[in-house]
Amino acid sequence: MRPLPFIGAMLVLILIITGCNQQPNIDITDVLIQTSEAIEELDGVETTATSFDGESDVKFRIMVEGHLTEKEAEFLFDQVLENIRKLSNHSDVWNYYNGYFDIKNYDDMVKYEATKIMGEPFAISSN
C-alpha cells in the first residue's frame, strides 16, 4: 500500500476546506472601538454604543444632540461604514458582516435606522 496518494488527497482536502473559509481575519471588536472613538469626535455626536454577536452581526448606535436632517444622518452612517471599512483593512468587510445602525437623540429616541445586510445595498429609514 502506498501512502503517497492518501497523503496527497488529504492535503488537497485541507486546502479546499481552508480555501472555503471565507471569514477574513478581522478583529471586528477592535475596529468597532476605534470607529466609535472616531465618530464621537464629530460635531453633534454625543456618544456611541457598539456590539458584535461573535458571528456576523454588528450593531452601532449614535447618540446626537438636537435634531438631524436626513442628509446629516446619511453622512453619519457613511462615516461609520467608511471607518469600519478602512480600519478593518478589508474593502469587502460588508460581505462578511451584517450591520444594524441607528441614530437617536434624547427627545425623540430612535430617529434614523439603517441596515447593511451581506449581499444587499445599504438601506436607511427615518422614524
Side-chain angles (χ1 to χ4, degrees):
M1 182 167 128
R2 300 177 120 208
L4 203 52
F6 176 73
I7 292 172
M10 290 304 293
L11 286 174
V12 168
L13 184 60
I14 289 170
L15 287 173
I16 289 172
I17 290 171
T18 20
C20 291
N21 182 4
Q22 293 184 357
Q23 191 74 2
N25 187 18
I26 299 173
D27 184 354
I28 197 70
T29 303
D30 188 46
V31 168
L32 290 173
I33 291 168
Q34 291 178 41
T35 299
S36 181
E37 291 169 353
I39 298 301
E40 286 178 4
E41 292 179 10
L42 298 174
D43 286 339
V45 174
E46 200 158 304
T47 190
T48 60
T50 64
S51 70
F52 174 58
D53 72 351
E55 292 185 22
S56 62
D57 290 345
V58 169
K59 293 183 180 178
F60 202 101
R61 170 166 285 164
I62 303 170
M63 294 293 293
V64 296
E65 302 167 354
H67 301 281
L68 295 181
T69 65
E70 192 166 333
K71 189 171 187 151
E72 291 169 324
E74 286 177 22
F75 172 78
L76 285 177
F77 287 136
D78 286 341
Q79 290 298 302
V80 171
L81 291 175
E82 187 57 32
N83 271 283
I84 290 173
R85 192 175 299 119
K86 270 194 245 177
L87 294 168
S88 71
N89 293 319
H90 287 274
S91 60
D92 60 348
V93 67
W94 294 113
N95 291 335
Y96 305 103
Y97 297 100
N98 297 314
Y100 302 94
F101 312 93
D102 63 39
I103 297 174
K104 158 179 196 184
N105 68 21
Y106 293 107
D107 298 330
D108 300 325
M109 300 311 271
V110 175
K111 189 73 175 158
Y112 295 97
E113 293 179 313
T115 55
K116 178 61 183 110
I117 304 298
M118 289 181 261
E120 294 182 19
F122 187 62
I124 299 174
S125 64
S126 63
N127 295 336

